[in-house]
């Protein structure tokens, strides 16, 4: 592999790790990068999911303070994410690759739309949290059930195609929970990490020879650094600029997919 390609993958990993820690959807940088460099879509998805585990660890660690007090709800959401991720990974490994190639452009467009509307979702979540006041953290039984169901469905999506699962989680929790945005972001980082771990383990066990371990390793190194930087400094960066980069790279990847 050319040195320039190696460097591009590492830089994409740094960007994805930082973006995942701050807003989610970092896969929309790494996945199109791998596809543009000539990796088959399924190989790109599996290698990407494995590589981004490292960034998920550093990003989640960076937001560990915001996780405090969410244990009761996460005790329900975590199993839902794990189960959903297992179903999604099974679908990726057992459905024909042609199905993936046909559905991924649709998922990629959906993910890009979610990136664009992400600020409105987060603003909505913030307004709900502010309106809730002291009720933050309290969740009724039916609302908790809805959150768990949404988490499970998003876990399936994440196990099959990881892009923008973080924004989907923020959207669901923002609509259903009276929580602060930063606390929801911390929960999103943890749940997305768990989905990636389950998917990565499934891919490694079942499809070891279909994974590009060079690409996965380079993304892991980059995303580990990016997750740390995103958790510590990402709040100072312009979300508009971040989303603009994601959309541009995502559109390039979409073009590359449609040209296959």
């Amino acid at each position: 592999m050319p040195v320039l390609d190696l460097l591009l993958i590492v830089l994409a990993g740094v960007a994805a790790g930082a973006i995942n820690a701050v807003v989610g959807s970092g896969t929309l940088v790494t996945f199109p990068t791998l596809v543009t460099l000539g990796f088959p879509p399924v190989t790109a998805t599996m290698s990407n999911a494995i590589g981004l585990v490292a960034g998920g660890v550093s990003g989640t660690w960076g937001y560990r303070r915001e996780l405090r007090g969410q244990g009761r709800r996460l005790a329900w959401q975590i199993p839902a994410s794990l189960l959903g991720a297992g179903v999604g990974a099974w679908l990726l490994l057992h459905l024909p690759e042609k199905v993936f190639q046909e559905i991924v452009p649709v998922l990629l467009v959906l993910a890009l739309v979610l990136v664009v509307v992400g600020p409105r979702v987060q603003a909505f979540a913030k307004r709900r949290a502010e309106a809730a006041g002291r009720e933050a953290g309290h969740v009724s039984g039916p609302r908790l059930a809805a959150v768990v169901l949404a988490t499970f469905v998003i876990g399936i999506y994440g196990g099959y195609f990881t892009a923008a699962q973080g924004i989907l989680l923020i959207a669901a929790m923002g609509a259903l929970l009276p929580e602060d945005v930063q606390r929801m972001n911390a929960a999103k980082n943890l749940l997305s990490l768990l989905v990636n771990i389950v998917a990565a383990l499934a891919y490694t066990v079942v499809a070891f020879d279909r994974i590009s371990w060079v690409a996965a390793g380079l993304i892991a190194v980059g995303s580990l650094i990016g997750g740390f930087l995103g958790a510590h400094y990402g709040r100072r960066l312009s979300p508009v600029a971040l989303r603009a980069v994601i959309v541009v790279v995502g559109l390039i990847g979409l073009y590359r997919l449609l040209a296959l």
Side-chain angles (χ1 to χ4, degrees):
M1 189 183 299
V3 175
L4 179 59
D5 289 1
L6 299 177
L7 180 60
L8 286 174
I9 294 173
V10 172
L11 292 177
V14 173
I19 291 168
N20 277 342
V22 179
V23 294
S25 72
T27 291
L28 291 182
V29 175
T30 44
F31 175 76
T33 298
L34 293 180
V35 171
T36 301
L37 293 176
F39 290 89
V42 172
T43 296
T45 290
M46 293 190 293
S47 306
N48 177 61
I50 291 171
L52 288 180
V53 168
V57 171
S58 58
T60 301
W61 177 255
Y63 271 89
R64 63 191 181 280
R65 289 189 298 271
E66 286 83 355
L67 282 172
R68 293 171 184 166
Q70 300 191 62
R72 181 173 175 273
R73 187 187 73 254
L74 287 172
W76 291 93
Q77 283 186 275
I78 287 173
S81 275
L82 294 174
L83 183 59
V87 173
W90 185 90
L91 290 173
L92 179 68
L93 292 168
H94 289 82
L95 291 178
E97 186 165 347
K98 183 179 178 181
V99 174
F100 184 83
Q101 291 176 345
E102 291 175 350
I103 197 173
V104 161
V106 177
L107 296 177
L108 193 52
V109 169
L110 173 62
L112 290 172
V113 170
L114 289 170
V115 169
V116 173
V117 303
R120 297 193 178 204
V121 171
Q122 291 181 334
F124 172 71
K126 184 176 181 179
R127 287 196 301 272
R128 284 187 59 85
E130 290 174 348
R134 294 183 180 179
E135 294 181 8
H138 175 73
V139 185
S140 63
R143 186 169 293 185
L144 178 61
V147 170
V148 172
L149 178 60
T151 303
F152 170 69
V153 173
I154 295 168
I156 296 176
Y157 170 89
Y160 187 78
F161 183 59
T162 57
Q165 64 168 317
I167 290 179
L168 285 172
L169 283 167
I170 288 288
M173 291 190 289
L176 295 167
L177 298 176
E179 274 287 9
D180 174 75
V181 174
Q182 293 297 343
R183 283 168 57 80
M184 287 190 292
N185 196 47
K188 174 266 292 179
N189 285 345
L190 174 61
L191 295 173
S192 297
L193 169 62
L194 294 175
V195 168
N196 272 11
I197 289 175
V198 170
L201 289 174
Y203 303 155
T204 300
V205 171
V206 179
F208 187 91
D209 58 334
R210 300 176 67 189
I211 297 165
S212 171
W213 291 101
V214 172
L218 293 172
I219 291 174
V221 172
S223 68
L224 184 66
I225 298 169
F228 174 82
L229 295 175
H232 286 79
Y233 306 107
R235 297 187 185 97
R236 304 176 188 176
L237 301 177
S238 166
V240 174
L242 285 174
R243 286 183 172 85
V245 171
I246 296 171
V247 170
V248 169
V249 176
L251 288 174
I252 294 172
L254 179 62
Y255 171 79
R256 182 69 176 83
L257 280 170
L258 295 176
L260 289 176

